[in-house]
Amino acid sequence: MRDMNSGYDGYRMSKRASEAYRNGEKPFSKWTKKEIVSLSGDERMAGYPLSVLRQYFLCQSSWHHTSRYANRTDFFSISEDAIRNIDIDELDRINELDRKQRQASAIEKPKKAIISYGEWIGTRSHPRLAMREEYAIVIGRWAYLESGKRKDLSGKHVESCRTLERAPRGTAPVFRNIEKAMKKRRKETS
């Protein structure tokens, strides 16, 4: 009988993905501000938000299979050119654009909603699209769900998003929990 898992380290990632981690590559979301600042060797970088540092210093270096479903995940590494030639003017330009984007999304008033979306369940050989309906807070094109997930409203399996004038009776704790999760997510990304 053939080993069906010969290219994988358990069910988390392929052996090549594990090797990429050892070589300093990782997915975009796994890079922290502290790591980027220390690798840049310039303490002035600590004054910039994580989103700006990721845009400036990271470059896509490879992709690998991850998860038990062998999803394709892009891996990023620090650009040696960006480290050698740190351009403060370019960093300031990126920072200003990022700040304007954040302000624009902060101006947009959050709306309470009910969102219907499809979620794949079952096994890899027998997948099935199950429809879910959850309360959400919508800001721009993003819906923050009561389950803690974030959905792009322009995504493939989003069926509907019905905004609510006010929270239905008895759902105030649900929306408070969603707001707490949103604040926590913002702290992690800044």
Side-chain angles (χ1 to χ4, degrees):
M1 185 166 165
R2 231 172 58 164
D3 180 12
M4 297 300 287
N5 198 16
S6 62
Y8 254 64
D9 265 350
Y11 288 105
R12 287 190 47 219
M13 66 183 84
S14 69
K15 289 180 180 175
R16 287 187 180 160
S18 295
E19 186 180 326
Y21 266 102
R22 286 191 296 276
N23 291 335
E25 297 177 53
K26 25 180 152 169
F28 196 74
S29 63
K30 299 290 183 186
W31 283 96
T32 64
K33 182 174 182 175
K34 188 176 180 180
E35 288 174 313
I36 295 172
V37 169
S38 70
L39 288 171
S40 74
D42 189 338
E43 288 302 315
R44 295 179 297 174
M45 298 305 114
Y48 292 97
L50 176 60
S51 57
V52 171
L53 295 176
R54 282 177 174 168
Q55 285 180 54
Y56 184 78
F57 284 106
L58 298 182
C59 61
Q60 184 180 350
S61 50
S62 59
W63 66 269
H64 300 284
H65 290 116
T66 57
S67 84
R68 62 192 259 175
Y69 295 112
N71 294 330
R72 178 186 167 140
T73 303
D74 292 328
F75 277 62
F76 292 79
S77 61
I78 295 283
S79 167
E80 295 298 324
D81 187 45
I83 288 177
R84 268 187 258 114
N85 306 311
I86 294 176
D87 183 354
I88 297 296
D89 292 334
E90 178 65 11
L91 272 163
D92 288 339
R93 188 188 68 74
I94 294 169
N95 191 30
E96 185 62 24
L97 287 172
D98 189 64
R99 187 184 63 74
K100 285 179 182 177
Q101 227 173 14
R102 285 177 190 252
Q103 281 180 339
S105 66
I107 291 170
E108 196 165 332
K109 188 177 178 189
K111 298 176 223 131
K112 294 176 173 76
I114 297 176
I115 183 171
S116 297
Y117 65 95
E119 182 176 59
W120 289 102
I121 61 171
T123 64
R124 185 177 175 98
S125 56
H126 299 292
R128 190 174 52 125
L129 188 64
M131 295 309 294
R132 305 270 191 246
E133 189 171 272
E134 290 187 58
Y135 289 112
I137 293 180
V138 176
I139 299 176
R141 66 177 227 208
W142 295 102
Y144 297 86
L145 308 176
E146 65 183 294
S147 62
K149 297 176 185 171
R150 185 176 81 158
K151 286 279 183 197
D152 185 346
L153 294 177
S154 61
K156 249 185 197 174
H157 301 295
V158 174
E159 289 291 316
S160 68
C161 179
R162 190 176 69 225
T163 57
L164 306 167
E165 291 294 319
R166 51 189 285 172
R169 188 176 298 249
T171 60
V174 171
F175 287 106
R176 271 196 303 273
N177 288 337
I178 296 171
E179 288 170 349
K180 283 180 192 175
M182 288 169 57
K183 286 178 187 174
K184 183 179 176 184
R185 181 183 283 256
R186 283 192 190 129
K187 282 182 185 176
E188 289 173 354
T189 58
S190 61

